[in-house]
Amino acid sequence: MPVNITPINSSSTAKYQSFQASEKKDKHKYSDPLMKWPARGLAYSNELGAAISEVAPKLGTLLWFPAMLYFGADIYDKYKNEKDSYNPSAVRGTEQAVFQCLASVIMPTGAVIGGQKAASLLGKFGKNKLTLQTEEEIIKFLQGHMERRNIAEFKDNVDGFKESFKVALTNQRKKMMTENKLSSPFRTVKNYIFSKTHPEAVAYSPSEKVLEYANKRIDEVFSIYNQLSADDSVKPKEFTEKMFNQYNKIKKRFFDDETYRDTAKSDAIDMIIKKYQKSKVTNAKILKTVGGFIALGLAIKPIDNFVEHTVLKKFVAPRLKLLESREKYNRDQLDSYKSKIIQNA
């Protein structure tokens, strides 16, 4: 018996192929929009802020705001949606909140601070044998000491200035040691980890090394002062060209202002010495910042893996699932009780 074969219409074939293609397209792998750039970059702004907070504290604080907005949006999105379908889940939202809290805030910030502390400790292997933090605190203390005294009065008595500084520093060291002994262990640890200033670093560093470094800085200050006072057309050997140009601009500004004209040169010298001292502090901060970035780069992936595969899967998720099952059981019991009440009414 002959078999009737119905010819396949080419347009039908095209439609069928188009349907298959669209079905495959609909089954594409879900891609989280919050994980795509540039939105994803917002998640790292707080880590960038923590890393640069040493050299730009205000900008470092501002950079936390985009990250906090991103974290809130991501947590709400994971609570509301199960990938590309609407299905609110407190468990999923809580898991994401824990992940963001640990993997995006606490642990990366800790890594940055740890990197900064490690970079500071590397200073002990340098020629001064002091941590960068200690050097920074000595310069700050020296700046304060200079502001309370007229440097011009000591220009011919540098040793006298050094002696007055030694007495002030010795008293400060005793004060800091006493304060740290009376401080609670928790507060001491908190200040060590999170505080940006550590005057106690001077107290617990070898006194001879501290004084040796301080005397070196004092000699520099008086060398600059005496050079500029005698002939400020010649650049002091301690200055870069940029620093010397800054001095000339400051001096011109003071001379142009009638209020400062009579003391323009001495005021300009005082200001440029402060800027010079500040540049020494900035150099230490930059080195610590680099240490923070290196630590963050090395730690970010291990942190993500640890939080996702260890903290969430082994500790958080099982407890949340148990809580969810209990809540579901209670809801079922309540619904059953309501049904019985309605039936008996």
Side-chain angles (χ1 to χ4, degrees), residues 21-271:
S22 99
E23 189 176 36
K24 287 180 181 178
K25 187 177 179 181
D26 290 339
K27 292 182 179 179
H28 71 283
K29 187 177 179 181
Y30 173 73
S31 178
D32 187 347
L34 289 172
M35 292 298 291
K36 294 179 180 177
W37 291 86
R40 177 60 176 158
L42 296 175
Y44 296 99
S45 68
N46 67 306
E47 293 156 1
L48 177 62
I52 68 170
S53 60
E54 281 284 347
V55 291
K58 290 183 179 179
L59 178 59
T61 301
L62 286 174
L63 285 172
W64 276 78
F65 288 96
M68 293 300 107
L69 291 173
Y70 177 89
F71 299 153
D74 187 45
I75 292 165
Y76 178 69
D77 177 70
K78 300 306 177 289
Y79 157 75
K80 186 178 66 173
N81 301 311
E82 187 173 13
K83 294 187 176 179
D84 53 359
S85 62
Y86 179 77
N87 180 24
S89 169
V91 169
R92 198 169 54 246
T94 303
E95 284 182 347
Q96 194 64 14
V98 172
F99 176 82
Q100 291 290 11
C101 182
L102 292 176
S104 299
V105 180
I106 295 176
M107 297 180 76
T109 303
V112 168
I113 294 171
Q116 291 170 345
K117 302 291 184 188
S120 176
L121 290 172
L122 290 176
K124 284 193 170 185
F125 299 97
K127 59 182 179 181
N128 298 316
K129 307 300 180 185
L130 295 169
T131 67
L132 297 179
Q133 188 68 52
T134 302
E135 292 179 7
E136 183 180 328
E137 298 298 340
I138 292 171
I139 292 172
K140 287 179 183 177
F141 189 75
L142 177 58
Q143 283 179 315
H145 189 74
M146 287 173 59
E147 287 173 1
R148 294 188 295 272
R149 285 156 181 81
N150 186 354
I151 191 171
E153 295 177 1
F154 290 91
K155 64 178 182 179
D156 297 321
N157 185 19
V158 179
D159 289 338
F161 184 89
K162 287 180 179 179
E163 186 60 33
S164 72
F165 179 80
K166 180 179 178 181
V167 172
L169 185 63
T170 301
N171 292 334
Q172 179 68 7
R173 282 168 59 90
K174 289 178 181 178
K175 179 183 174 183
M176 291 306 307
M177 287 179 180
T178 303
E179 288 179 355
N180 277 277
K181 285 178 183 178
L182 297 175
S183 179
S184 68
F186 175 78
R187 184 179 176 185
T188 300
V189 172
K190 179 180 76 66
N191 288 341
Y192 179 78
I193 295 174
F194 295 106
S195 179
K196 295 297 180 185
T197 59
H198 294 279
E200 72 279 358
V202 176
Y204 289 100
S205 298
S207 59
E208 67 278 4
K209 294 295 180 184
V210 169
L211 288 172
E212 183 181 336
Y213 181 76
N215 287 338
K216 190 184 299 182
R217 297 279 79 86
I218 292 170
D219 287 336
E220 283 183 351
V221 166
F222 277 95
S223 173
I224 294 168
Y225 181 86
N226 291 330
Q227 169 66 60
L228 292 176
S229 297
D231 182 5
D232 65 355
S233 64
V234 179
K235 179 178 74 67
K237 64 180 184 300
E238 294 84 3
F239 276 11
T240 61
E241 284 294 338
K242 182 179 178 181
M243 184 70 68
F244 190 52
N245 290 335
Q246 276 189 337
Y247 165 73
N248 288 318
K249 288 178 182 178
I250 293 169
K251 185 177 69 170
K252 183 179 183 305
R253 191 169 74 243
F254 282 153
F255 270 114
D256 291 341
D257 190 331
E258 292 182 2
T259 309
Y260 295 96
R261 191 169 295 163
D262 293 340
T263 57
K265 183 175 178 178
S266 60
D267 288 342
I269 292 173
D270 286 344
M271 182 170 285

